Amino acid sequence: MPMKDPNPQLWTLRFKQHKVTILLFVEQTESFTSIKAEILQVLKERGLTELNGQPIPSDPEDIILAVLVDKNDPSKGWVGLDIPAMEIEDETRPKKKIGGKKSVLNANPLGAGLKDGTMLAFKFRKDHAKVDDDGLDIDDNGWDVIIPSYEEESTSQR
């Protein structure tokens, strides 16, 4: 993977699954599809075929991303980054469609409201997953992210 020259438009994003962290330098307006392809490339360059028991997919669209519910409290969990298409109705305005694959919110880190240094979780879409109306996995166990804490560090040194 070629190195990117530092510039103000370049952000550092941290992608986590289980105990693995992938640090990527991305343009603010780089598409999430391109970023997912970079994640796959990094995993393949390391010679990995699976991550925490899950096979690594070949299609970047099989990677699902999430952000922290509260960036100051990781224990509150993660929320998926993709915003499904939906209509919002307001008394003062007609119905408005938001979200979906072509939405600016789903297009790139800047459109999604991310910032430099943001931590994201990632997981792989299962081949035969049961999905609901929004395309979300019904049998999903959540996000497998382990964030080390000082308590773990101090007890392991004893």
Side-chain angles (χ1 to χ4, degrees), residues 76-103:
K76 290 185 179 176
W78 303 85
V79 63
L81 191 60
D82 285 340
I83 298 171
M86 64 181 82
E87 288 186 355
I88 295 179
E89 195 169 349
D90 189 356
E91 291 115 28
T92 59
R93 290 182 257 158
K95 285 184 181 179
K96 180 180 179 183
K97 190 173 182 178
I98 65 163
K101 286 232 180 246
K102 295 183 180 178
S103 170

Side-chain angles (χ1 to χ4, degrees), residues 101-146:
K101 286 232 180 246
K102 295 183 180 178
S103 170
V104 69
L105 302 171
N106 293 328
N108 56 52
L110 187 62
L114 304 182
K115 299 196 180 317
D116 186 26
T118 298
M119 180 172 32
L120 295 100
F122 72 96
K123 63 183 175 181
F124 307 128
R125 186 170 277 121
K126 296 180 180 108
D127 285 338
H128 303 289
K130 296 180 210 164
V131 294
D132 63 10
D133 295 337
D134 293 327
L136 301 174
D137 186 355
I138 293 172
D139 298 328
D140 188 12
N141 294 345
W143 299 91
D144 179 20
V145 176
I146 297 174

Side-chain angles (χ1 to χ4, degrees), residues 32-56:
F32 280 121
T33 302
S34 171
I35 292 170
K36 291 175 183 181
E38 283 187 56
I39 292 171
L40 282 181
Q41 184 178 357
V42 167
L43 293 171
K44 288 177 182 175
E45 283 177 0
R46 301 295 301 161
L48 300 173
T49 56
E50 66 175 39
L51 196 58
N52 197 31
Q54 291 184 309
I56 295 174

